[in-house]
Amino acid sequence: MDVTTTEEFRSEVIAWVAERYPDALRSAEVDADEAYLGGTTATFPSHAARRWMDEMSERGWVAPTWPAHLGGAGLDPARARVLAEELARAGCRPPLVSVHGLGMIGPALLEFGTPEQQARFVPDIAAGRVRWCQGFSEPGAGSDLAGLSTRAVRDGDEYVVTGQKVWTSFADESDWIFAIVRTDPAAPKRDGLSFLLVDLRSPGIEVRPIALISGRSEFCEVFFDGVRVPVNQRLSDEGQGWAVTRFILGKERQLLGQNTGFGGGRLGARELIGLARRRRGCPAGTLPDAAVRSALAEADIEEECARALVRNAGGRSPGAGPLHPSVVKLTMSAMMQHQADLAVELSGLGGLGWDGDAYGDDELAVARDYLYSKAWTIGGGSSEIQRNLIARQVLELPHLGPEEP
Ligand SMILES: Cc1cc2nc3c(=O)[nH]c(=O)nc-3n(C[C@H](O)[C@H](O)[C@H](O)COP(=O)(O)OP(=O)(O)OC[C@H]3O[C@@H](n4cnc5c(N)ncnc54)[C@H](O)[C@@H]3O)c2cc1C
């Protein structure tokens, strides 16, 4: 049993980080955007990044609240919060950026998995050995996710899966996909769904990247043509896939609040002040333009309020019970979009180009960030859907439209 107090634990973390965090990661030697993403196709962006991952894995601090026998450190929430605070205070990068693994399917395995499934899949996630992607959306099912039509037909100890997923982020770089599929077409639509864990190398799977106008290609279509999936790769009971999916959607929406893995390259309120100073040639003192000062102050206040909401004592929102993930998602995605808008405004003509030699790297980043920011109010469930959920589940207003996930 751990008998140290939380404050003793804090001192331990501070000392450990000071000793073990590689100097190279503090310096400009390593590109700020480079991250270790895990999985069989990933490489470490630097020797220092590998060392940091090794150090953190050894302590179980890549997934600090997960049980030690599954690759975590078994920390209670208070200690995990202290660890996160001190890593952030010291400016440490996450050793592994794994939104779908650490953030979604790992917690779902701990909640719904059998001991065998946990032993098989969880340690590989904590160690970054396997990368996962999320197979929820389909061409005919986004907001109305429960209307999905990918079919899984039981055949002995296997399911035979046929259908298509779309907007599957990073499927082309992933090893496994977690997918919600229809096992009983005759049941009410939410009751006929099951949740499968599928090796992307299975025969019958085709992954096609979707080219975006920005030149990026983070989305894929994933086609299943008679793919055989062992029944022991079903998470929770047959027909219980909706509960697992809702659990994961809640995690996804909360992740946006913690600002991990979404967007990237975003300028927060403090960076926006720096941008304004550079663009206006005013390195110190009061910025001359009152409208700019006012916009920056608003951005700062919005960011502080959003962060206070997310940090809110014990994760509870004032007077409304536990902090609902849709509140987090709605608030943070709107804030990030406002900041991306302001960055473009502050950049003047420099914020208008998303490609080409006429613009500097910083300017291109501002414009691309702005273009990408439109995705923040769609991914993980659109803002309209979050508002519907808040109306029903937090405010308990009458239900007028179709059901949302
Ligand atoms: C950056 C990003 C990453 C993504 N990654 C993944 C991924 O990895 N895996 C995955 O499975 N999916 C992923 N998606 C897809 C995402 O989950 C869907 O785009 C989202 O759920 C919306 O579904 P849709 O695109 O089909 O839009 P639709 O459901 O067709 O909605 C279109 C519009 O209608 C509105 N609308 C729909 N129903 C209602 C209603 N009842 N009330 C009010 N308004 C409504 C919506 O708000 C939206 O504005 C990603 C999307 C983005 C942007």
Side-chain angles (χ1 to χ4, degrees):
M1 200 180 88
D2 188 356
V3 289
T4 56
T5 66
T6 310
E7 284 318 301
E8 284 167 349
F9 178 69
R10 187 183 296 281
S11 309
E12 189 191 318
V13 172
I14 293 170
W16 187 87
V17 168
E19 189 190 331
R20 304 295 175 100
Y21 191 61
D23 285 342
L25 294 185
R26 294 180 203 272
S27 71
E29 274 174 52
V30 178
D31 189 325
D33 290 337
E34 284 188 339
Y36 175 56
L37 303 168
T40 50
T41 60
T43 49
F44 283 95
S46 65
H47 177 68
R50 175 189 290 271
R51 225 179 70 225
W52 182 227
M53 179 66 190
D54 288 346
E55 295 275 13
M56 288 286 280
S57 289
E58 210 170 294
R59 291 291 310 234
W61 285 355
V62 175
T65 57
W66 294 7
H69 73 280
L70 296 174
L75 295 190
D76 59 39
R79 282 180 170 70
R81 219 173 14 254
V82 165
L83 176 64
E85 280 168 13
E86 292 310 326
L87 289 170
R89 206 189 310 273
C92 300
R93 294 156 183 255
L96 168 68
V97 173
S98 159
V99 176
H100 296 104
L102 287 175
M104 298 186 203
I105 192 63
L109 279 156
L110 294 178
E111 182 78 13
F112 297 98
T114 62
E116 292 74 28
Q117 288 173 329
Q118 292 176 350
R120 179 175 172 196
F121 295 112
V122 174
D124 281 343
I125 298 170
R129 284 188 289 268
V130 171
R131 187 168 177 191
W132 287 81
C133 61
Q134 177 192 41
F136 287 2
S137 307
E138 299 188 1
S143 301
D144 181 21
L145 182 58
L148 62 89
S149 54
T150 293
R151 274 285 274 132
V153 179
R154 182 85 180 246
D155 180 20
D157 287 342
E158 294 176 323
Y159 289 103
V160 182
V161 182
T162 302
Q164 184 200 339
K165 298 292 176 181
V166 73
W167 312 126
T168 321
S169 301
F170 309 111
D172 53 340
E173 297 172 9
S174 298
D175 304 299
W176 282 67
I177 183 169
F178 51 88
I180 178 153
V181 296
R182 187 163 303 284
T183 37
D184 183 357
K189 65 180 183 180
R190 292 181 178 199
D191 300 338
L193 301 171
S194 300
F195 200 95
L196 298 182
L197 311 175
V198 187
D199 186 340
L200 280 167
R201 291 162 308 186
S202 309
I205 291 192
E206 190 188 344
V207 175
R208 288 189 208 153
I210 301 170
L212 303 182
I213 193 170
S214 63
R216 285 164 66 166
S217 178
E218 70 176 54
F219 297 124
C220 298
E221 296 172 290
V222 181
F223 296 88
F224 297 78
D225 182 8
V227 177
R228 295 198 157 261
V229 180
V231 169
N232 65 13
Q233 288 171 207
R234 188 191 65 224
L235 197 52
S236 192
D237 292 338
E238 188 168 299
Q240 294 300 310
W242 190 245
V244 184
T245 301
R246 282 195 58 182
F247 175 88
I248 289 183
L249 285 171
K251 292 282 167 204
E252 182 175 11
R253 289 163 188 165
Q254 260 156 355
L255 279 175
L256 189 59
Q258 291 154 10
N259 201 11
T260 41
F262 286 83
R266 186 182 68 82
L267 299 182
R270 297 285 144 181
E271 288 84 21
L272 286 169
I273 295 172
L275 175 66
R277 290 197 177 286
R278 284 195 301 283
R279 298 297 306 188
R280 278 153 184 78
C282 174
T286 307
L287 279 159
D289 186 332
V292 169
R293 287 201 306 272
S294 163
L296 289 169
E298 268 177 42
D300 200 21
I301 292 166
E302 188 180 10
E303 186 175 294
E304 278 308 310
C305 292
R307 296 207 184 286
L309 179 79
V310 173
R311 275 199 305 265
N312 204 301
R316 300 181 78 81
S317 51
L323 189 56
H324 194 285
S326 296
V327 176
V328 177
K329 207 231 153 194
L330 193 63
T331 309
M332 294 301 280
S333 56
M335 177 201 80
M336 287 155 67
Q337 277 182 348
H338 296 158
Q339 292 178 338
D341 292 352
L342 183 54
V344 167
E345 274 180 45
L346 292 172
S347 299
L349 291 177
L352 296 182
W354 61 89
D355 206 4
D357 299 335
Y359 299 91
D361 286 349
D362 286 354
E363 291 170 333
L364 292 174
V366 162
R368 287 180 187 165
D369 197 29
Y370 167 80
L371 292 173
Y372 190 86
S373 72
K374 303 302 161 197
W376 293 329
T377 44
I378 304 172
S382 70
S383 291
E384 290 80 6
I385 297 302
Q386 305 317 306
R387 287 193 181 93
N388 287 350
L389 288 167
I390 293 166
R392 281 219 321 276
Q393 296 174 7
V394 181
L395 304 175
E396 298 181 2
L397 296 176
H399 180 223
L400 302 174
E403 298 277 316
E404 304 84 15

